[in-house]
Amino acid sequence: NIEGCITHSIISTGCTVGKGVEITDSVIMPDVVIENGASIRNAIIAEGCVIRAGAKIGGDVENGERRISVVGKDKQIAEGAVIAAGAIV
């Protein structure tokens, strides 16, 4: 079920994307749940993750350098959490 805005990204099978979600330049692996209002930019989200409402993962290109954020398999990102560009969780 996809209700958010997806731009230049790959969303795998079994994913749920809530209302108001923005996913840009990212890869979302199978069976990921992204709750309402979350934002994902320049990131790879491994299978089975849950991204809670309002969480922000990754960021924009800085000084011409794209920094990819990675969230490992089966991780849960808390509501409203901020994961910096280039972070590995």
Side-chain angles (χ1 to χ4, degrees):
N1 188 22
I2 308 292
E3 297 187 54
C5 180
I6 315 296
T7 307
H8 301 125
S9 298
I10 297 171
I11 309 297
S12 299
T13 60
C15 291
T16 300
V17 178
K19 293 178 182 177
V21 170
E22 294 184 8
I23 302 173
T24 305
D25 298 325
S26 297
V27 177
I28 312 299
M29 300 299 204
D31 303 318
V32 171
V33 175
I34 304 170
E35 294 182 352
N36 297 343
S39 173
I40 301 172
R41 297 180 72 74
N42 298 309
I44 300 169
I45 310 299
E47 60 271 14
C49 289
V50 177
I51 312 302
R52 298 286 181 203
K56 181 178 179 187
I57 299 173
D60 294 320
V61 174
E62 296 177 14
N63 300 321
E65 181 182 342
R66 183 182 309 256
R67 299 176 61 209
I68 306 295
S69 301
V70 179
V71 177
K73 184 178 179 180
D74 297 325
K75 300 288 185 192
Q76 289 202 25
I77 303 301
E79 183 173 340
V82 176
I83 306 298
I88 298 174
V89 178

